[in-house]
Amino acid sequence: RITLADISVASVLKAQCSWLLGPEERAAIPNAIRFFETIANQPAIKAVWGDIVYIDKTAQYVPPAKPKKEKEAAPAAAAPKPKPAKKEAEADDEEDEPLVPEEPKAKNPLDDLPKSNFNLEQWKREYSNRDTRGAGGSLEWFYQNFDKEGFSLWKCKFKYNDELTLTFMSSNQIGGFFNRLEASRKYLFGSMGVLGEANNSIIAGAFIARGPDYKPVIDVAPDWESYDFEPIDLNNEADKAYFEAALAWDLEIDGKKWADGKNFK
């Protein structure tokens, strides 16, 4: 299903491809070009835009010739400005002062939770710098340091998978969801992926959230209710396998294998 946003983005790509982006630049952004061609070849769009036109060579910038400068006469010495009266200066200072004091920032209730020995920021670094599985991997570090009293683990699955089409567009949807979670970055880690193939895929993954409940951390994103959340019990072998696979990007559900993914960290 094509949206107005798809057509708007494709319009920009059409203009760029027809006068600016040469073969080398187009080769560097294959996903964007594939998206553009998908939209441009829709019958209703093609009837208006016609055939796709690509330039054979990247447009080159040619600087304009510099005009010759005529020698300017030396400026006359500026007359000294009179010093403002002391009372006028004091009046200006008073006008600059804010009339209403700034309100202090509201404290996040998550900051009032009991202190935890599990350092979420350190975990994010370990996850980024180590292999996920195996001896010395980030999962090994996680199990050695995780605080189940201060943090909770959650499965996250998109509710409306029948609306998903191309896998790269679903991956972009995950990226948008993560962007809208920005206010909770210090309280949250996530690993989400697209499983399956075009027109037959799902979005699923896992989150590590500060506190016993996901909602105070996740509901900063306006679209959080488009996802289902289930607690992960590490004492349950199936839940533990799901959690590890989501972090290792090899999660498979109902025969649908991991195709693309993103991390929130």
Side-chain angles (χ1 to χ4, degrees):
R1 186 171 60 190
I2 296 176
T3 66
L4 181 59
D6 294 327
I7 297 173
S8 298
V9 174
S11 298
V12 174
L13 290 170
K14 178 178 181 294
Q16 298 299 310
C17 290
S18 64
W19 68 275
L20 180 63
L21 301 178
E24 292 183 2
E25 289 76 16
R26 295 197 300 272
I29 52 171
N31 290 340
I33 297 302
R34 183 169 63 250
F35 165 76
F36 164 59
E37 291 177 347
T38 299
I39 301 301
N41 284 313
Q42 298 298 313
I45 304 297
K46 191 169 185 178
V48 178
W49 288 358
D51 293 334
I52 298 173
V53 177
Y54 291 126
I55 58 173
D56 297 326
K57 186 178 179 182
T58 305
Q60 301 294 322
Y61 172 69
V62 179
K66 291 184 179 179
K68 292 182 179 180
K69 287 186 177 181
E70 295 182 2
K71 192 172 182 181
E72 296 179 0
K81 291 184 179 180
K83 291 183 179 180
K86 186 177 180 182
K87 287 185 179 179
E88 291 178 0
E90 290 175 355
D92 289 342
D93 290 342
E94 289 177 1
E95 289 177 2
D96 290 339
E97 293 178 2
L99 299 177
V100 181
E102 291 185 7
E103 293 184 7
K105 281 188 176 181
K107 189 175 181 181
N108 193 308
L110 293 168
D111 293 330
D112 293 329
L113 291 172
K115 188 174 180 181
S116 173
N117 292 326
F118 180 68
N119 187 325
L120 186 64
E121 294 306 312
Q122 182 62 33
W123 155 248
K124 292 176 181 180
R125 288 190 287 271
E126 299 296 334
Y127 179 82
S128 298
N129 296 326
R130 302 186 187 206
D131 291 335
T132 307
R133 298 185 185 273
S138 60
L139 280 170
E140 182 180 279
W141 186 95
F142 175 84
Y143 290 132
Q144 292 171 353
N145 293 274
F146 182 60
D147 168 24
K148 65 179 181 180
E149 301 300 327
F151 289 81
S152 54
L153 307 178
W154 299 90
K155 294 180 184 179
C156 177
K157 297 178 181 179
F158 185 54
K159 293 180 180 179
Y160 310 109
N161 291 310
D162 57 334
E163 296 180 2
L164 302 179
T165 54
L166 303 178
T167 54
F168 84 90
M169 295 175 70
S170 300
S171 182
N172 289 343
Q173 177 177 312
I174 297 172
F177 179 45
F178 282 178
N179 288 340
R180 292 182 285 277
L181 288 171
E182 179 61 34
S184 289
R185 187 170 295 276
K186 65 184 286 190
Y187 312 107
L188 190 66
F189 169 87
S191 182
M192 296 280 290
V194 184
L195 284 63
E197 57 190 8
N199 301 309
N200 182 29
S201 63
I202 62 174
I203 291 176
F207 280 101
I208 302 171
R210 182 73 167 102
D213 188 15
Y214 70 90
K215 189 175 178 182
V217 190
I218 297 289
D219 69 358
V220 297
D223 55 340
W224 73 273
E225 291 181 300
S226 296
Y227 297 82
D228 281 323
F229 291 85
E230 299 176 35
I232 293 175
D233 178 6
L234 292 178
N235 294 319
N236 179 295
E237 288 301 319
D239 280 5
K240 185 177 181 181
Y242 177 99
F243 175 72
E244 293 181 354
L247 269 60
W249 285 24
D250 54 18
L251 180 64
E252 183 175 340
I253 299 176
D254 296 332
K256 295 180 174 66
K257 295 183 178 181
W258 191 285
D260 195 8
K262 293 184 184 293
N263 290 122
F264 183 82
K265 56 185 178 178

Short mmCIF file of all heavy atoms in Angstrom, two decimals, residues 61 73 232:
data_model
loop_
_atom_site.label_atom_id
_atom_site.label_comp_id
_atom_site.label_asym_id
_atom_site.label_seq_id
_atom_site.Cartn_x
_atom_site.Cartn_y
_atom_site.Cartn_z
N TYR A 61 30.30 20.46 -10.35
CA TYR A 61 30.17 21.86 -9.99
C TYR A 61 31.21 22.70 -10.73
O TYR A 61 32.40 22.39 -10.71
CB TYR A 61 30.36 22.03 -8.48
CG TYR A 61 30.43 23.48 -8.04
CD1 TYR A 61 29.32 24.30 -8.10
CD2 TYR A 61 31.64 24.01 -7.60
CE1 TYR A 61 29.38 25.62 -7.70
CE2 TYR A 61 31.71 25.34 -7.20
CZ TYR A 61 30.58 26.14 -7.25
OH TYR A 61 30.65 27.45 -6.87
N ALA A 73 38.40 53.09 -2.11
CA ALA A 73 39.05 54.16 -1.35
C ALA A 73 38.99 53.82 0.13
O ALA A 73 38.06 53.18 0.59
CB ALA A 73 38.33 55.49 -1.62
N ILE A 232 9.73 -11.81 29.89
CA ILE A 232 10.65 -12.92 29.62
C ILE A 232 11.15 -13.46 30.95
O ILE A 232 11.68 -12.71 31.78
CB ILE A 232 11.84 -12.45 28.76
CG1 ILE A 232 11.36 -12.07 27.35
CG2 ILE A 232 12.91 -13.54 28.67
CD1 ILE A 232 12.45 -11.48 26.47
#
